[in-house]
Amino acid sequence: MIRRRVIVHGLVQGVGYRFSCQMQAENLGVRGWARNRPDGTVEAVFEGDATAVEQMVTWTRRGPRHADVTRVDVAEERPEGLAGFDTY
């Protein structure tokens, strides 16, 4: 199990980014959460199988159809054993 925290920059609020992120994560069996930040970015944490988590990180670079992602910052973290996937 691995954990990644991402900060997604660009037009990522008001375009269904968090909802789409949750659907993608659930399809891949990834646990974690996604939230809007006051600066207009989306922050997300992904935990799970290394392949699935890396697929999520790759997905964040494009996001849903109406998103315009300009940059994704990725940090490795120690897994906490999260359950499910939440949006805030």
Side-chain angles (χ1 to χ4, degrees):
M1 176 185 294
I2 67 169
R3 176 180 169 118
R4 298 290 181 267
R5 179 180 303 265
V6 298
I7 307 294
V8 187
H9 301 261
L11 177 60
V12 292
Q13 291 189 14
V15 294
Y17 197 98
R18 291 174 300 142
F19 175 77
S20 296
C21 184
Q22 181 178 25
M23 295 297 99
Q24 184 72 13
E26 289 174 352
N27 286 339
L28 292 171
V30 171
R31 296 166 303 283
W33 51 264
R35 69 176 178 171
N36 286 340
R37 294 174 21 140
D39 65 359
T41 61
V42 168
E43 179 179 18
V45 166
F46 307 124
E47 284 189 2
D49 172 75
T51 301
V53 169
E54 292 304 330
Q55 286 178 312
M56 279 305 304
V57 171
T58 298
W59 179 89
T60 64
R61 297 182 194 289
R62 68 179 185 285
R65 190 169 107 208
H66 295 292
D68 184 14
V69 177
T70 58
R71 186 175 96 225
V72 177
D73 302 327
V74 182
E76 294 182 23
E77 297 183 345
R78 170 177 255 120
E80 295 179 3
L82 299 175
F85 197 94
D86 294 311
T87 59
Y88 305 101

